[in-house]
Structures are given as structure tokens and as C-alpha cells.
Amino acid sequence: MSGLSMLSARPPLRNSSTPAARIVSGSRRCAPVSRRSMSVRPMNVDGGLPPSMSPRKKMTIQQLQQLRESRTPITMVTAYDYPTARALDTHGVDIALVGDSLAQVCLGLPSTTLVTLDEMLHHCRAVARGSTHPLIIADMPFGSYHAGVDDAVRNAVRMVKEGHVEGVKLEGGAEIVDIVRRITQMGVPVMAHVGLLPQRHVALSGYRVQGRDAAGARDVYDSAKALQEAGAFSIVLEAIPHQLGSFITEELSIPTIGIGAGPGTSGQVLVWDDLMTRWHGRKAKFVRRFADVGQEEGRGIQNYISAVRDRSFPKPKEEGYEMGPGEWDLFLSEFEDGRKDGESASDPVDRRILYNA
């Protein structure tokens, strides 16, 4: 899947100019908290960096453009919660996408069209709390930008202010150009998305490859060009022929992120649950399994069940916490003395012996 060798062999880009895009900033991160040993306490968002990795700067739109111009492939992975965001942050992913695919892989819904804006905002905040370095982009869910420009702007601003993301992603072509232009004019960075549009899978009669004939390829190209001119800082190219993916990448002056668009794009994106083999739905042709977390999870839960049932868990060193000297005997003594009236006092078992066994 890596397109490093092909990218390095291509001729220089025709146009290295970058369309203006203003970045919305805000103090969404809290001061670091001290680490605790309790498993329920979130880890410091600045902690956990492997010693071999030097601290990274915050990814910006300008830095993404620099990666494109230097032909360094950009990495983007979906994230839906705090732990996944921490993993992407710690290990060097450039862009964390809060994708509307969470409808299926997190919420068990049959389609991305069913996730609501409030649900997206909930997951956006969790990802934002776990991210320091990646640029955080979120899908605007189906219906949140279709009723008109004003409605789209209002909802895009909500995603920044309430979801704490740094940009939004919209699916569509020429029909959303005015919306993209207005959102970017208001200072919210927009990543466009052309080719296969999952939010329109019903209208497209399924998840079908786009741009397979000359007319279709021209439509995808024209859409990408128009969205760039409207102010999009990057464009996702999904499920299009690899020749078309490379061609659009060469013709545009902004980074392209491919998913099923070949190795010639400026970067690649995959769904976390696909690349980690945690999602067992239909596997798309362009998906590569980079780890089998699902199998390890299954092994882990089976081992846990067995250990609980045969009482090999917990072991003495895992039993937990001790009371102070004499405190348990004092507790039992006071318990016996303070039993309520009417409770049977004929119990022959000495609780000190029972609980100290």
C-alpha cells in the first residue's frame, strides 16, 4: 500500500501554491494531570511518548502542505475515542479523523447516514482529549450541511466549538461548493471528499467505484478542482482508479488523501478497526490488515473467563488491599455487637475464623 517509491519518482508538481485557509484556534486542552496508578484515570495527554521518539510539534495545514511538496506521504487514521486518539498521538499519525464510520464500528448502526450531530460531537470531544499532535478533522454527518449554507456554517462552528476539532470533512462535488466556500470564509478549515461518497450509498446503489469511464473520471476531477478553488485545504479521494488518483494529485495544489485511490496520492487513510482487524464486516479491496487485534482480544477474554471460573484469578499478589493491623478484628467485633434487633444471633460460625481463613 505504501506509495513512497512511486511518489519519489514523479516529476515536480505543477503548482505548489496553497489556497488560503484560516485555522480556528482555541484553548481546548486542560493543564496536564499527574499520573496515578488507578486504571480508570486518564493518562497525561503529554505522557507515554516512547524514549526513542522526540517530541513532535502540532500538525498544521501548512505542515501538511510541506509534506506534500517534499513528497512525504501523509498518514491519516480514524479515531473515535480517547484510547485510540492516544495511540495515534503517541505513534506519529499526522491526521486523526473522527469519521462517521463510527456509526457502524462503534454504534452498531447499519449506515453512516444514521449517526447524529450530537453523537459525532460526543466522540469528537473524546478524541480531542487524547490528541496533542495530530490535526483533528471530523466528518460532518449526513443532514448537517444539506439544508442550506447557513445551517451548514452553524453546524460546522458547533463541531469546532463543542467538538473541539480543528477542521471538518464534507462529502460531495459541485453541489457543495458554495457551502465549502462559506465555511472556509468563516475560518473553519474544510477537507473535501470526492469519488465514492458513503453518505450517498443508497443513491449510488451501493458502495461502487467511481470514475471508471471517461465521463465519470471527468466528473470526479471537476469536483476536486472546484472544491480546491472553494477553499478546501485537502481532498479525500475514495474508490477511484489509481490512474485518476495520481492525475488529480498532480493537477491540484493541495494534498490528496487516498482510500482505494492508488499509491500516487499525497497520503493514505484507513479506518482504525479495519487496519487493526477489529471490524468483521465486509473487507474492501483496498484494506490491508496491519495487526490482528481482534484475535488477541478474543484470546484475552477467553483466558480471563477461564481464570475466573477455575479461581486462578486473582492470585494472592492480585488480591488487592489490606486493612491496618487489628482493624479487621475490630470491624467484626463491632459488627457482632451492633446487629439489629430481630436478627438471628444463633449463628455458630465465628466470623473471625471465617474471614481470616
Side-chain angles (χ1 to χ4, degrees):
M1 178 167 285
S2 173
L4 184 58
S5 59
M6 292 188 65
L7 285 168
S8 61
R10 293 187 309 192
L13 294 170
R14 300 179 185 181
N15 187 350
S16 61
S17 62
T18 307
R22 290 184 293 165
I23 304 175
V24 174
S25 62
S27 57
R28 62 175 177 80
R29 294 182 177 83
C30 300
V33 296
S34 60
R35 292 190 190 182
R36 303 288 180 88
S37 60
M38 297 295 287
S39 61
V40 296
R41 188 173 297 276
M43 185 172 63
N44 186 335
V45 296
D46 293 320
L49 194 68
S52 61
M53 294 179 61
S54 59
R56 295 186 297 126
K57 294 182 179 180
K58 172 67 181 175
M59 181 59 64
T60 65
I61 292 173
Q62 182 181 27
Q63 288 174 326
L64 291 175
Q65 184 68 22
Q66 291 170 350
L67 289 176
R68 170 192 170 273
E69 292 173 359
S70 67
R71 303 192 181 280
T72 303
I74 298 165
T75 58
M76 182 162 82
V77 180
T78 62
Y80 314 114
D81 53 29
Y82 178 87
T84 307
R86 287 294 308 132
L88 303 190
D89 190 88
T90 300
H91 298 292
V93 170
D94 300 315
I95 305 173
L97 173 65
V98 188
D100 57 6
S101 50
L102 69 86
Q104 293 148 303
V105 300
C106 292
L107 304 181
L109 298 171
S111 167
T112 60
T113 59
L114 300 178
V115 69
T116 67
L117 179 59
D118 286 338
E119 287 169 335
M120 287 296 300
L121 291 172
H122 171 83
H123 288 267
C124 287
R125 287 190 291 268
V127 171
R129 285 191 289 268
S131 297
T132 301
H133 305 294
L135 187 68
I136 307 173
I137 306 298
D139 276 321
M140 291 193 69
F142 182 74
S144 65
Y145 58 97
H146 301 80
V149 173
D150 291 342
D151 193 49
V153 171
R154 185 181 305 109
N155 289 329
V157 170
R158 280 194 69 191
M159 297 196 78
V160 173
K161 290 177 67 68
E162 299 177 35
H164 303 169
V165 302
E166 295 155 325
V168 296
K169 183 166 76 67
L170 282 68
E171 296 182 11
E175 74 284 358
I176 66 166
V177 163
D178 290 341
I179 293 172
V180 170
R181 181 177 292 111
R182 181 66 182 280
I183 292 175
T184 57
Q185 286 174 346
M186 299 309 295
V188 179
V190 172
M191 175 180 282
H193 184 144
V194 300
L196 170 61
L197 308 177
Q199 291 182 358
R200 306 185 191 184
H201 71 282
V202 175
L204 297 173
S205 297
Y207 299 92
R208 298 178 179 274
V209 177
Q210 302 297 302
R212 274 186 158 167
D213 57 27
R218 183 66 195 219
D219 286 343
V220 176
Y221 167 77
D222 287 345
S223 293
K225 192 76 171 178
L227 290 163
Q228 172 184 268
E229 293 170 357
F233 75 88
S234 179
I235 296 185
V236 170
L237 308 176
E238 180 167 2
I240 62 175
H242 64 90
Q243 303 98 319
L244 181 58
S246 296
F247 180 84
I248 292 175
T249 300
E250 292 292 339
E251 290 292 319
L252 297 185
S253 59
I254 58 177
T256 60
I257 307 295
I259 178 166
T265 54
S266 306
Q268 301 290 333
V269 59
L270 278 179
V271 171
W272 169 267
D273 297 80
D274 280 337
L275 73 89
M276 290 293 182
T277 320
R278 297 187 72 247
W279 167 249
H280 298 289
R282 179 177 175 273
K283 177 181 175 295
K285 181 180 180 180
F286 53 77
V287 168
R288 182 188 296 183
R289 310 296 199 190
F290 286 88
D292 196 343
V293 175
Q295 185 176 26
E296 286 301 310
E297 285 180 336
R299 182 180 296 113
I301 193 66
Q302 289 170 8
N303 290 342
Y304 167 73
I305 291 171
S306 297
V308 170
R309 289 183 173 162
D310 67 15
R311 299 189 182 277
S312 62
F313 174 80
K315 294 180 179 178
K317 65 179 181 180
E318 300 164 331
E319 285 181 353
Y321 310 97
E322 299 293 337
M323 297 180 71
E327 292 299 323
W328 181 243
D329 286 340
L330 177 61
F331 166 77
L332 290 177
S333 176
E334 292 178 349
F335 178 82
E336 292 291 343
D337 294 340
R339 283 190 303 185
K340 295 180 180 179
D341 294 338
E343 183 177 340
S344 173
S346 60
D347 186 352
V349 179
D350 186 338
R351 284 187 170 86
R352 292 182 178 82
I353 297 175
L354 178 64
Y355 290 109
N356 285 325

